Structures are given as C-alpha cells and as structure tokens.
Amino acid sequence: MMRIRLRLSDYLRILEHARLGLPNESCGLIAGGIKEAVKEVEKVYALDNPDASPEHFSIDPRAQLEAIKDMRSLGLIPLGNFHSHPSTPARPSDEDIALAYDPAASCCILSLAEDEPVLKCFRIERATGKTWEEKIELIR
Ligand SMILES: [Zn+2]
C-alpha cells in the first residue's frame, strides 16, 4: 500500500484553504513524484469550488488543465486531489466514491468537523466502492 509524504507547509496550506472556504467544501490537486511505495507531494494546488456548497465540490476543468500544465513544466505528476468535509468525518462519501474515476489517484479528505482537523487519503475503486487508506507521513 502506498504512503503519502507531505510537507507540513503543504498540509498547512490545505488547512488554510479549507478554513477560508468555510462553510463550503474546498478542493484542490496534489502533484509530485512516486518513489518505491511513497507518493511524495511536491506541490499543492488550492482551487476554487465552483459548486460553492457545504456538501459538494467539483474541480473546474479549466483550472485543472492549468494545474496539469504547471505540473508538466515542473516535471511533476498528478497524484490526486483533496477536498474538505466541513461537518462530516474524513472518509469518502457515497458521492466521493461515485466520482472517483481514477483508481490510482489519492483522494484526500480534510475533516473540520471536530476541533482538531483530520486529514486522510484514500484510493477508491469506484466499481466496487472499496476504499484503501494511504498513510500520511508529515515531514518538515
Ligand atoms: Zn467528500
């Protein structure tokens, strides 16, 4: 099972983006490299949530394309996405599973439901609804 290595500064960026977006869900993309069984996050793209909803998010295709171009120019590969759950736990919702088109992508969910934020990442197999948690390793 893959692990995810995330810099503390990138984690804090995701957290800040999610808090600024309240009461709505916030989202973005993560990019980096894969070494052995570790996905190393090198860049976080904080994007708008065009749905502007506390229960849904989507990623604007144009913003996604821009991010992918930037990744290519930096030699990074797309690793997956992140979004916040303002008032529910950090686990994939039925909708998150239904929208998980890429089984290799990491779907990271930041829950702000409790005082302490909780970030968890998953791989999701849409056809079966199975999810696997990818452990996050926070580094400086
Ligand atoms: Zn969700």
Side-chain angles (χ1 to χ4, degrees), residues 3-57:
R3 278 180 298 136
I4 297 197
R5 193 169 289 155
L6 180 67
R7 274 188 225 110
L8 185 62
S9 55
D10 284 331
Y11 168 71
L12 292 172
R13 182 121 190 279
I14 291 171
L15 179 60
E16 185 190 30
H17 183 54
R19 284 189 167 146
L20 288 172
L22 286 173
N24 295 329
E25 288 195 7
S26 296
C27 59
L29 298 171
I30 56 173
I34 300 179
K35 279 191 194 132
E36 286 159 26
V38 183
K39 291 177 174 171
E40 297 182 338
V41 179
E42 299 286 346
K43 191 161 178 181
V44 165
Y45 297 83
L47 304 178
D48 287 339
N49 175 9
D51 291 353
S53 155
E55 285 163 0
H56 306 276
F57 80 100

Short mmCIF file of all heavy atoms in Angstrom, two decimals, residues 3-57:
data_model
loop_
_atom_site.label_atom_id
_atom_site.label_comp_id
_atom_site.label_asym_id
_atom_site.label_seq_id
_atom_site.Cartn_x
_atom_site.Cartn_y
_atom_site.Cartn_z
N ARG A 3 2.20 5.01 0.59
CA ARG A 3 2.14 6.02 1.64
C ARG A 3 2.25 7.39 0.96
O ARG A 3 2.70 7.48 -0.18
CB ARG A 3 3.31 5.85 2.61
CG ARG A 3 3.05 4.77 3.65
CD ARG A 3 4.23 4.65 4.58
NE ARG A 3 5.43 4.26 3.86
CZ ARG A 3 6.64 4.80 4.06
NH1 ARG A 3 6.80 5.76 4.94
NH2 ARG A 3 7.69 4.40 3.37
N ILE A 4 1.85 8.40 1.69
CA ILE A 4 1.93 9.75 1.15
C ILE A 4 2.84 10.58 2.04
O ILE A 4 2.63 10.61 3.26
CB ILE A 4 0.53 10.39 1.09
CG1 ILE A 4 -0.33 9.58 0.13
CG2 ILE A 4 0.61 11.85 0.70
CD1 ILE A 4 -1.56 10.26 -0.34
N ARG A 5 3.84 11.17 1.43
CA ARG A 5 4.73 12.03 2.20
C ARG A 5 4.37 13.48 1.88
O ARG A 5 4.38 13.89 0.71
CB ARG A 5 6.18 11.72 1.82
CG ARG A 5 7.20 12.31 2.76
CD ARG A 5 8.58 11.73 2.48
NE ARG A 5 8.67 10.34 2.90
CZ ARG A 5 9.54 9.46 2.37
NH1 ARG A 5 10.37 9.82 1.44
NH2 ARG A 5 9.57 8.22 2.82
N LEU A 6 4.04 14.20 2.93
CA LEU A 6 3.51 15.55 2.75
C LEU A 6 4.29 16.50 3.66
O LEU A 6 4.47 16.22 4.85
CB LEU A 6 2.02 15.54 3.15
CG LEU A 6 1.22 16.82 3.06
CD1 LEU A 6 1.07 17.27 1.61
CD2 LEU A 6 -0.16 16.63 3.70
N ARG A 7 4.73 17.60 3.08
CA ARG A 7 5.42 18.60 3.90
C ARG A 7 4.40 19.30 4.81
O ARG A 7 3.28 19.57 4.38
CB ARG A 7 6.06 19.68 3.02
CG ARG A 7 7.42 19.30 2.54
CD ARG A 7 8.06 20.51 1.84
NE ARG A 7 8.66 20.05 0.62
CZ ARG A 7 8.22 20.34 -0.61
NH1 ARG A 7 7.17 21.12 -0.78
NH2 ARG A 7 8.83 19.87 -1.65
N LEU A 8 4.86 19.62 6.01
CA LEU A 8 3.99 20.31 6.96
C LEU A 8 3.44 21.61 6.34
O LEU A 8 2.27 21.93 6.49
CB LEU A 8 4.78 20.60 8.25
CG LEU A 8 3.98 21.22 9.38
CD1 LEU A 8 2.88 20.29 9.85
CD2 LEU A 8 4.91 21.58 10.55
N SER A 9 4.30 22.33 5.61
CA SER A 9 3.86 23.59 5.00
C SER A 9 2.73 23.35 3.99
O SER A 9 1.81 24.16 3.87
CB SER A 9 5.04 24.30 4.33
OG SER A 9 5.65 23.45 3.39
N ASP A 10 2.78 22.22 3.26
CA ASP A 10 1.72 21.92 2.31
C ASP A 10 0.43 21.51 3.03
O ASP A 10 -0.66 21.85 2.61
CB ASP A 10 2.17 20.82 1.33
CG ASP A 10 3.12 21.35 0.27
OD1 ASP A 10 3.02 22.55 -0.07
OD2 ASP A 10 3.98 20.59 -0.21
N TYR A 11 0.61 20.77 4.13
CA TYR A 11 -0.56 20.43 4.95
C TYR A 11 -1.24 21.70 5.45
O TYR A 11 -2.47 21.84 5.38
CB TYR A 11 -0.15 19.54 6.13
CG TYR A 11 -1.23 19.40 7.16
CD1 TYR A 11 -2.38 18.65 6.89
CD2 TYR A 11 -1.16 20.07 8.38
CE1 TYR A 11 -3.41 18.56 7.81
CE2 TYR A 11 -2.18 19.98 9.31
CZ TYR A 11 -3.30 19.23 9.02
OH TYR A 11 -4.33 19.16 9.92
N LEU A 12 -0.42 22.64 5.92
CA LEU A 12 -0.99 23.88 6.47
C LEU A 12 -1.68 24.69 5.37
O LEU A 12 -2.66 25.38 5.61
CB LEU A 12 0.09 24.71 7.17
CG LEU A 12 0.64 24.05 8.45
CD1 LEU A 12 1.84 24.83 8.98
CD2 LEU A 12 -0.46 23.94 9.52
N ARG A 13 -1.17 24.59 4.15
CA ARG A 13 -1.79 25.29 3.01
C ARG A 13 -3.18 24.71 2.74
O ARG A 13 -4.14 25.45 2.50
CB ARG A 13 -0.86 25.10 1.81
CG ARG A 13 -1.29 25.78 0.58
CD ARG A 13 -0.25 26.77 0.07
NE ARG A 13 -0.88 27.53 -1.00
CZ ARG A 13 -0.99 27.06 -2.25
NH1 ARG A 13 -0.48 25.90 -2.57
NH2 ARG A 13 -1.62 27.77 -3.15
N ILE A 14 -3.27 23.38 2.78
CA ILE A 14 -4.57 22.72 2.57
C ILE A 14 -5.55 23.14 3.68
O ILE A 14 -6.71 23.47 3.43
CB ILE A 14 -4.39 21.17 2.55
CG1 ILE A 14 -3.62 20.75 1.29
CG2 ILE A 14 -5.73 20.46 2.63
CD1 ILE A 14 -3.19 19.29 1.27
N LEU A 15 -5.03 23.15 4.90
CA LEU A 15 -5.87 23.51 6.04
C LEU A 15 -6.37 24.95 5.93
O LEU A 15 -7.55 25.24 6.15
CB LEU A 15 -5.06 23.30 7.33
CG LEU A 15 -5.75 23.63 8.65
CD1 LEU A 15 -7.01 22.77 8.84
CD2 LEU A 15 -4.79 23.42 9.83
N GLU A 16 -5.46 25.85 5.56
CA GLU A 16 -5.84 27.26 5.45
C GLU A 16 -6.89 27.44 4.34
O GLU A 16 -7.88 28.17 4.52
CB GLU A 16 -4.60 28.10 5.14
CG GLU A 16 -4.90 29.59 5.12
CD GLU A 16 -3.75 30.42 4.60
OE1 GLU A 16 -2.97 29.92 3.75
OE2 GLU A 16 -3.65 31.59 5.02
N HIS A 17 -6.66 26.78 3.22
CA HIS A 17 -7.60 26.87 2.09
C HIS A 17 -8.98 26.38 2.53
O HIS A 17 -10.00 26.99 2.21
CB HIS A 17 -7.05 26.03 0.93
CG HIS A 17 -7.87 26.08 -0.32
ND1 HIS A 17 -8.23 27.26 -0.94
CD2 HIS A 17 -8.39 25.09 -1.09
CE1 HIS A 17 -8.93 26.98 -2.03
NE2 HIS A 17 -9.05 25.68 -2.14
N ALA A 18 -9.00 25.27 3.28
CA ALA A 18 -10.27 24.69 3.73
C ALA A 18 -10.97 25.62 4.72
O ALA A 18 -12.20 25.78 4.68
CB ALA A 18 -10.02 23.33 4.36
N ARG A 19 -10.21 26.25 5.61
CA ARG A 19 -10.83 27.15 6.60
C ARG A 19 -11.35 28.40 5.95
O ARG A 19 -12.44 28.88 6.29
CB ARG A 19 -9.81 27.47 7.69
CG ARG A 19 -9.64 26.30 8.65
CD ARG A 19 -8.81 26.67 9.86
NE ARG A 19 -8.92 25.65 10.90
CZ ARG A 19 -7.94 25.31 11.72
NH1 ARG A 19 -6.77 25.92 11.65
NH2 ARG A 19 -8.12 24.38 12.63
N LEU A 20 -10.60 28.93 4.96
CA LEU A 20 -11.05 30.14 4.27
C LEU A 20 -12.31 29.86 3.46
O LEU A 20 -13.10 30.78 3.20
CB LEU A 20 -9.94 30.67 3.35
CG LEU A 20 -8.74 31.31 4.04
CD1 LEU A 20 -7.64 31.61 3.04
CD2 LEU A 20 -9.15 32.58 4.78
N GLY A 21 -12.48 28.62 3.03
CA GLY A 21 -13.61 28.27 2.19
C GLY A 21 -14.89 27.99 2.95
O GLY A 21 -15.96 27.83 2.35
N LEU A 22 -14.80 27.88 4.27
CA LEU A 22 -15.99 27.57 5.07
C LEU A 22 -17.08 28.61 4.84
O LEU A 22 -16.76 29.77 4.61
CB LEU A 22 -15.61 27.53 6.57
CG LEU A 22 -14.82 26.28 7.00
CD1 LEU A 22 -14.35 26.42 8.44
CD2 LEU A 22 -15.65 25.02 6.83
N PRO A 23 -18.35 28.25 4.88
CA PRO A 23 -18.89 26.94 5.28
C PRO A 23 -18.89 25.91 4.15
O PRO A 23 -19.39 24.81 4.33
CB PRO A 23 -20.33 27.28 5.67
CG PRO A 23 -20.70 28.39 4.73
CD PRO A 23 -19.44 29.21 4.56
N ASN A 24 -18.31 26.27 2.99
CA ASN A 24 -18.37 25.35 1.85
C ASN A 24 -17.17 24.40 1.83
O ASN A 24 -16.17 24.65 2.50
CB ASN A 24 -18.40 26.14 0.55
CG ASN A 24 -19.66 26.97 0.42
OD1 ASN A 24 -20.71 26.56 0.94
ND2 ASN A 24 -19.56 28.11 -0.22
N GLU A 25 -17.32 23.36 1.04
CA GLU A 25 -16.19 22.46 0.80
C GLU A 25 -15.16 23.19 -0.05
O GLU A 25 -15.51 23.99 -0.92
CB GLU A 25 -16.65 21.19 0.07
CG GLU A 25 -17.44 20.24 0.95
CD GLU A 25 -17.59 18.83 0.36
OE1 GLU A 25 -16.97 18.53 -0.68
OE2 GLU A 25 -18.34 18.04 0.97
N SER A 26 -13.90 22.89 0.22
CA SER A 26 -12.81 23.43 -0.60
C SER A 26 -12.10 22.26 -1.26
O SER A 26 -12.21 21.12 -0.79
CB SER A 26 -11.81 24.19 0.27
OG SER A 26 -12.44 25.31 0.85
N CYS A 27 -11.37 22.56 -2.32
CA CYS A 27 -10.74 21.45 -3.04
C CYS A 27 -9.45 21.89 -3.71
O CYS A 27 -9.13 23.08 -3.74
CB CYS A 27 -11.70 20.90 -4.08
SG CYS A 27 -12.22 22.12 -5.29
N GLY A 28 -8.75 20.93 -4.24
CA GLY A 28 -7.52 21.22 -4.96
C GLY A 28 -6.87 19.95 -5.44
O GLY A 28 -7.45 18.87 -5.32
N LEU A 29 -5.68 20.11 -5.99
CA LEU A 29 -4.95 18.97 -6.55
C LEU A 29 -3.59 18.86 -5.87
O LEU A 29 -3.06 19.85 -5.36
CB LEU A 29 -4.74 19.18 -8.06
CG LEU A 29 -6.02 19.26 -8.90
CD1 LEU A 29 -5.68 19.70 -10.32
CD2 LEU A 29 -6.74 17.92 -8.90
N ILE A 30 -3.06 17.63 -5.87
CA ILE A 30 -1.70 17.43 -5.36
C ILE A 30 -0.87 16.78 -6.46
O ILE A 30 -1.36 15.97 -7.24
CB ILE A 30 -1.68 16.57 -4.07
CG1 ILE A 30 -2.36 15.22 -4.28
CG2 ILE A 30 -2.32 17.32 -2.91
CD1 ILE A 30 -2.23 14.26 -3.09
N ALA A 31 0.41 17.18 -6.49
CA ALA A 31 1.31 16.67 -7.53
C ALA A 31 2.68 16.42 -6.91
O ALA A 31 3.03 16.97 -5.87
CB ALA A 31 1.43 17.69 -8.66
N GLY A 32 3.43 15.57 -7.57
CA GLY A 32 4.77 15.27 -7.07
C GLY A 32 5.38 14.13 -7.81
O GLY A 32 5.32 14.08 -9.04
N GLY A 33 5.94 13.18 -7.07
CA GLY A 33 6.58 12.02 -7.68
C GLY A 33 6.27 10.78 -6.88
O GLY A 33 5.77 10.87 -5.76
N ILE A 34 6.54 9.63 -7.48
CA ILE A 34 6.35 8.36 -6.77
C ILE A 34 7.69 7.65 -6.71
O ILE A 34 8.32 7.42 -7.75
CB ILE A 34 5.31 7.47 -7.48
CG1 ILE A 34 3.96 8.19 -7.54
CG2 ILE A 34 5.16 6.13 -6.75
CD1 ILE A 34 2.85 7.40 -8.23
N LYS A 35 8.14 7.36 -5.49
CA LYS A 35 9.39 6.62 -5.30
C LYS A 35 9.09 5.39 -4.48
O LYS A 35 8.64 5.50 -3.35
CB LYS A 35 10.42 7.50 -4.58
CG LYS A 35 11.12 8.45 -5.51
CD LYS A 35 12.30 9.13 -4.85
CE LYS A 35 12.76 10.33 -5.69
NZ LYS A 35 12.95 11.53 -4.89
N GLU A 36 9.35 4.22 -5.07
CA GLU A 36 9.00 2.96 -4.44
C GLU A 36 7.54 3.02 -4.01
O GLU A 36 6.69 3.24 -4.84
CB GLU A 36 9.98 2.63 -3.30
CG GLU A 36 11.32 2.20 -3.87
CD GLU A 36 12.47 2.34 -2.91
OE1 GLU A 36 12.26 2.30 -1.68
OE2 GLU A 36 13.60 2.51 -3.39
N ALA A 37 7.25 2.88 -2.73
CA ALA A 37 5.83 2.87 -2.34
C ALA A 37 5.41 4.19 -1.70
O ALA A 37 4.49 4.23 -0.89
CB ALA A 37 5.57 1.70 -1.41
N VAL A 38 6.11 5.25 -2.06
CA VAL A 38 5.79 6.54 -1.44
C VAL A 38 5.42 7.57 -2.50
O VAL A 38 6.16 7.79 -3.47
CB VAL A 38 6.99 7.07 -0.62
CG1 VAL A 38 6.62 8.38 0.07
CG2 VAL A 38 7.44 6.04 0.41
N LYS A 39 4.27 8.18 -2.31
CA LYS A 39 3.89 9.32 -3.13
C LYS A 39 4.40 10.57 -2.42
O LYS A 39 3.98 10.86 -1.30
CB LYS A 39 2.37 9.40 -3.27
CG LYS A 39 1.75 8.29 -4.11
CD LYS A 39 0.24 8.42 -4.12
CE LYS A 39 -0.41 7.40 -5.06
NZ LYS A 39 -1.88 7.38 -4.92
N GLU A 40 5.33 11.26 -3.06
CA GLU A 40 5.91 12.45 -2.44
C GLU A 40 5.24 13.69 -3.01
O GLU A 40 5.39 13.99 -4.20
CB GLU A 40 7.41 12.49 -2.69
CG GLU A 40 8.12 11.30 -2.05
CD GLU A 40 9.64 11.33 -2.23
OE1 GLU A 40 10.14 11.99 -3.16
OE2 GLU A 40 10.31 10.67 -1.42
N VAL A 41 4.52 14.39 -2.17
CA VAL A 41 3.82 15.59 -2.63
C VAL A 41 4.82 16.74 -2.71
O VAL A 41 5.50 17.06 -1.73
CB VAL A 41 2.66 15.96 -1.68
CG1 VAL A 41 1.97 17.23 -2.17
CG2 VAL A 41 1.67 14.81 -1.57
N GLU A 42 4.93 17.32 -3.91
CA GLU A 42 5.87 18.44 -4.10
C GLU A 42 5.11 19.76 -4.25
O GLU A 42 5.67 20.82 -4.04
CB GLU A 42 6.69 18.23 -5.38
CG GLU A 42 7.56 16.98 -5.38
CD GLU A 42 8.77 17.12 -4.47
OE1 GLU A 42 9.09 18.25 -4.06
OE2 GLU A 42 9.38 16.08 -4.17
N LYS A 43 3.85 19.68 -4.67
CA LYS A 43 3.11 20.92 -4.87
C LYS A 43 1.62 20.70 -4.64
O LYS A 43 1.07 19.68 -5.05
CB LYS A 43 3.37 21.47 -6.28
CG LYS A 43 2.84 22.88 -6.46
CD LYS A 43 3.47 23.60 -7.64
CE LYS A 43 2.84 24.99 -7.76
NZ LYS A 43 3.37 25.77 -8.89
N VAL A 44 1.02 21.68 -3.97
CA VAL A 44 -0.42 21.66 -3.71
C VAL A 44 -1.05 22.79 -4.51
O VAL A 44 -0.55 23.92 -4.51
CB VAL A 44 -0.68 21.87 -2.19
CG1 VAL A 44 -2.13 22.22 -1.92
CG2 VAL A 44 -0.25 20.63 -1.40
N TYR A 45 -2.11 22.48 -5.22
CA TYR A 45 -2.85 23.49 -5.98
C TYR A 45 -4.19 23.72 -5.28
O TYR A 45 -5.06 22.84 -5.28
CB TYR A 45 -3.11 23.01 -7.41
CG TYR A 45 -1.83 22.80 -8.20
CD1 TYR A 45 -1.11 21.61 -8.08
CD2 TYR A 45 -1.35 23.79 -9.04
CE1 TYR A 45 0.07 21.42 -8.79
CE2 TYR A 45 -0.17 23.60 -9.77
CZ TYR A 45 0.53 22.42 -9.63
OH TYR A 45 1.69 22.23 -10.33
N ALA A 46 -4.34 24.87 -4.66
CA ALA A 46 -5.60 25.21 -4.00
C ALA A 46 -6.51 25.83 -5.04
O ALA A 46 -6.19 26.87 -5.62
CB ALA A 46 -5.33 26.19 -2.86
N LEU A 47 -7.64 25.18 -5.33
CA LEU A 47 -8.53 25.64 -6.40
C LEU A 47 -9.88 26.07 -5.83
O LEU A 47 -10.24 25.72 -4.71
CB LEU A 47 -8.74 24.50 -7.42
CG LEU A 47 -7.45 23.91 -8.03
CD1 LEU A 47 -7.81 22.77 -8.97
CD2 LEU A 47 -6.64 24.96 -8.76
N ASP A 48 -10.62 26.81 -6.65
CA ASP A 48 -11.98 27.20 -6.27
C ASP A 48 -12.91 25.99 -6.36
O ASP A 48 -12.67 25.09 -7.15
CB ASP A 48 -12.51 28.26 -7.24
CG ASP A 48 -11.85 29.59 -7.01
OD1 ASP A 48 -11.32 29.82 -5.90
OD2 ASP A 48 -11.86 30.41 -7.95
N ASN A 49 -13.96 26.03 -5.57
CA ASN A 49 -15.02 25.03 -5.69
C ASN A 49 -16.21 25.69 -6.37
O ASN A 49 -16.97 26.42 -5.74
CB ASN A 49 -15.42 24.53 -4.30
CG ASN A 49 -16.60 23.57 -4.36
OD1 ASN A 49 -17.02 23.16 -5.44
ND2 ASN A 49 -17.13 23.23 -3.19
N PRO A 50 -16.38 25.45 -7.68
CA PRO A 50 -17.47 26.13 -8.41
C PRO A 50 -18.85 25.77 -7.87
O PRO A 50 -19.81 26.51 -8.10
CB PRO A 50 -17.32 25.65 -9.86
CG PRO A 50 -16.08 24.84 -9.92
CD PRO A 50 -15.64 24.52 -8.53
N ASP A 51 -18.96 24.65 -7.15
CA ASP A 51 -20.26 24.26 -6.58
C ASP A 51 -20.66 25.17 -5.42
O ASP A 51 -21.84 25.26 -5.09
CB ASP A 51 -20.24 22.81 -6.08
CG ASP A 51 -20.14 21.81 -7.22
OD1 ASP A 51 -20.21 22.24 -8.38
OD2 ASP A 51 -19.97 20.61 -6.94
N ALA A 52 -19.67 25.80 -4.76
CA ALA A 52 -19.92 26.65 -3.60
C ALA A 52 -20.96 26.02 -2.68
O ALA A 52 -22.01 26.60 -2.41
CB ALA A 52 -20.34 28.05 -4.04
N SER A 53 -20.67 24.81 -2.22
CA SER A 53 -21.62 24.05 -1.41
C SER A 53 -20.91 23.43 -0.21
O SER A 53 -19.75 23.04 -0.31
CB SER A 53 -22.23 22.93 -2.27
OG SER A 53 -22.68 21.87 -1.46
N PRO A 54 -21.62 23.31 0.94
CA PRO A 54 -21.02 22.64 2.10
C PRO A 54 -20.98 21.13 1.95
O PRO A 54 -20.40 20.44 2.79
CB PRO A 54 -21.90 23.06 3.27
CG PRO A 54 -23.14 23.62 2.69
CD PRO A 54 -22.92 23.91 1.24
N GLU A 55 -21.60 20.59 0.89
CA GLU A 55 -21.68 19.13 0.75
C GLU A 55 -21.15 18.59 -0.57
O GLU A 55 -21.13 17.37 -0.78
CB GLU A 55 -23.14 18.67 0.91
CG GLU A 55 -23.58 18.71 2.35
CD GLU A 55 -25.09 18.68 2.49
OE1 GLU A 55 -25.79 18.63 1.46
OE2 GLU A 55 -25.57 18.70 3.63
N HIS A 56 -20.76 19.49 -1.46
CA HIS A 56 -20.26 19.02 -2.76
C HIS A 56 -19.06 19.84 -3.17
O HIS A 56 -18.92 21.00 -2.77
CB HIS A 56 -21.31 19.19 -3.87
CG HIS A 56 -22.62 18.57 -3.57
ND1 HIS A 56 -22.89 17.25 -3.80
CD2 HIS A 56 -23.74 19.10 -3.03
CE1 HIS A 56 -24.12 16.99 -3.42
NE2 HIS A 56 -24.66 18.09 -2.95
N PHE A 57 -18.26 19.24 -4.02
CA PHE A 57 -17.22 20.03 -4.67
C PHE A 57 -17.08 19.52 -6.09
O PHE A 57 -17.48 18.41 -6.42
CB PHE A 57 -15.88 19.93 -3.94
CG PHE A 57 -15.11 18.67 -4.26
CD1 PHE A 57 -14.06 18.70 -5.18
CD2 PHE A 57 -15.42 17.47 -3.67
CE1 PHE A 57 -13.36 17.55 -5.49
CE2 PHE A 57 -14.72 16.31 -3.98
CZ PHE A 57 -13.69 16.34 -4.90
#
